[in-house]
């Protein structure tokens, strides 16, 4: 059986380790060992652990930012309502946060490491604020197309929707049932339905 390319093996190993032991504890040495390559080989593909982390988010987790960028390009598309688009965004965002939260949570236990990580994210032009900006941009494009009220606070709406999705990933493991009270589809639809009431005339 042909071995996967080194970059693919590194991404697979990084994704698995980041999920199981967290970003803070997943060292490049451990990732390289799990990928069956040297640490030097890892750095040929990914100049830093932060760039590897960003690649894992982009290539191994549900695609949220590409969805938002696509919707910004074609607001007011007749085949889908704003509510339908928000439902799809909520579905993707909930899946994204469900998978990314275990990876990044360990950073919050080490403030200095988190600060260095944030600095690196800023240098790479990315970070957890980007989906909010992307959703805000989409809602403003719908505002310009006349499908969202002119006086609607699009940034607040974006923050509310994505905050609900992040909270779903964070909070519900502690419930009596050990999980969210709604299915993912029901959750996405209900969040979009609640939000749309403040966005349309």
């Amino acid at each position: 059986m042909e071995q996967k390319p080194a970059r693919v093996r590194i991404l697979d190993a990084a994704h698995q380790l980041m999920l199981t032991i967290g970003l803070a504890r997943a060292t490049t040495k451990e990732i390289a060992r799990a990928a069956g390559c040297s640490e030097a080989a890892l750095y040929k593909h990914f100049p830093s652990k932060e760039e590897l982390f960003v690649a894992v988010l982009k290539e191994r987790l549900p695609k949220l930012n590409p969805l938002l960028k696509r919707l910004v390009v074609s607001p007011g598309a007749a085949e889908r309502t704003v509510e339908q688009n928000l439902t799809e965004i909520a579905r993707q965002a909930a899946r994204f946060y469900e998978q990314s939260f275990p990876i990044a949570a360990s950073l919050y236990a080490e403030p200095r490491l988190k600060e260095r990580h944030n600095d690196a994210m800023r240098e790479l032009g990315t970070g957890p604020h980007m989906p909010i900006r992307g959703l805000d941009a989409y809602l403003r494009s719908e505002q310009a197309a006349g499908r969202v009220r002119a006086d609607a606070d699009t940034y607040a709406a974006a923050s509310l929707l994505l905050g609900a999705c992040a909270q779903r990933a964070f909070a519900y493991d502690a419930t009596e049932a050990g999980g969210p009270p709604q299915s993912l589809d029901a959750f996405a639809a209900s969040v979009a339905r609640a939000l749309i009431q403040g966005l349309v005339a």
Side-chain angles (χ1 to χ4, degrees):
M1 184 172 163
E2 190 177 345
Q3 192 177 41
K4 293 179 182 177
R7 187 181 185 278
V8 175
R9 298 199 318 272
I10 291 165
L11 277 171
D12 287 346
H15 183 207
Q16 186 58 37
L17 282 168
M18 288 175 183
L19 275 175
T20 53
I21 65 174
L23 178 60
R25 293 176 57 202
T27 66
T28 53
K29 185 177 289 186
E30 289 173 329
I31 292 167
R33 185 185 309 119
C37 68
S38 67
E39 202 171 0
L42 182 151
Y43 282 118
K44 284 181 183 176
H45 294 280
F46 303 99
S48 68
K49 190 168 89 167
E50 286 76 22
E51 290 194 40
L52 177 53
F53 168 66
V54 170
V56 166
L57 293 185
K58 287 180 177 178
E59 299 181 39
R60 292 294 184 272
L61 270 60
K63 307 286 191 288
L64 178 56
N65 282 325
L67 169 63
L68 295 171
K69 287 177 182 175
R70 178 170 52 79
L71 290 172
V72 169
V73 171
S74 57
E79 65 272 11
R80 291 178 66 86
T81 66
V82 177
E83 184 174 345
Q84 287 172 326
N85 286 336
L86 289 177
T87 299
E88 179 58 23
I89 291 166
R91 186 183 295 111
Q92 285 291 89
R95 290 177 62 234
F96 175 82
Y97 289 123
E98 182 178 32
Q99 294 183 38
S100 64
F101 185 78
I103 292 174
S106 59
L107 286 175
Y108 289 85
E110 301 185 37
R112 288 181 185 169
L113 180 60
K114 185 175 183 301
E115 187 177 337
R116 288 200 305 273
H117 177 78
N118 287 345
D119 288 343
M121 292 296 101
R122 278 189 283 271
E123 285 182 19
L124 292 169
T126 189
H129 59 289
M130 296 304 285
I132 297 175
R133 286 186 183 175
L135 180 48
D136 177 45
Y138 162 64
L139 290 173
R140 283 187 283 108
S141 71
E142 290 286 18
Q143 216 168 29
R147 300 211 305 176
V148 164
R149 279 196 351 245
D151 64 343
D153 187 334
T154 56
Y155 190 85
S159 300
L160 286 167
L161 185 141
L162 294 176
C165 294
Q167 184 69 4
R168 184 179 191 272
F170 170 76
Y172 289 120
D173 285 345
T175 64
E176 295 82 0
Q182 296 172 295
S183 70
L184 177 58
D185 286 344
F187 165 81
S190 64
V191 168
R193 192 165 49 248
L195 196 64
I196 203 73
Q197 294 175 25
L199 290 172
V200 299

